[in-house]
Amino acid sequence: MKFKFILTGMLFASLAFGAAWEQSASVQNVKAVLSSDKALIVGDNALVLTVKQQNMPIENAVVEVKAFMPAMPGMPAMESKSKAVAQGHGVYKTSLNLDMGGTWQIHVFVTTKEGKKYRLKTSLSL
Ligand SMILES: [Cu+2]
């Protein structure tokens, strides 16, 4: 009974604070959840990243997000990179520019305060 109550509470919380867009990326035991309050658009997008290692927030890391699209017929390769600002508790904020619709490859670069480097890969369709 208690377990069911907790699950219901979690569902309510995720609906109440649900993001319009969310995507996760991971490598080894490091996971980043990228989200946006608004649906992604062509142009600048405000992103929130939650970065964890073994489910513990990674604090004071250097976090960068790169979006890129390989060259296509009649279109050169495109790339945009932004550095995220730490908000505490493993939360980082940044603004990512996506210059056109299509599929973007997303790499999240995390350098921990101990100097360990991770590259987390995902993609998004715009
Ligand atoms: Cu393109």
Side-chain angles (χ1 to χ4, degrees), residues 32-72:
V33 176
L34 297 79
S35 66
S36 171
D37 281 350
K38 298 175 185 168
L40 297 182
I41 57 163
V42 173
D44 286 324
N45 293 276
L47 297 188
V48 177
L49 293 93
T50 304
V51 186
K52 293 183 177 180
Q53 183 160 33
Q54 285 176 322
N55 266 329
M56 295 293 292
I58 301 183
E59 308 275 9
N60 302 313
V62 175
V63 176
E64 286 175 301
V65 183
K66 183 171 90 168
F68 61 100
M69 196 187 270
M72 308 188 311

Side-chain angles (χ1 to χ4, degrees), residues 74-93:
M75 195 203 77
M78 301 174 97
E79 183 179 309
S80 122
K81 199 170 184 182
S82 64
K83 193 172 170 182
V85 179
Q87 311 290 308
H89 306 289
V91 176
Y92 298 80
K93 285 187 176 178

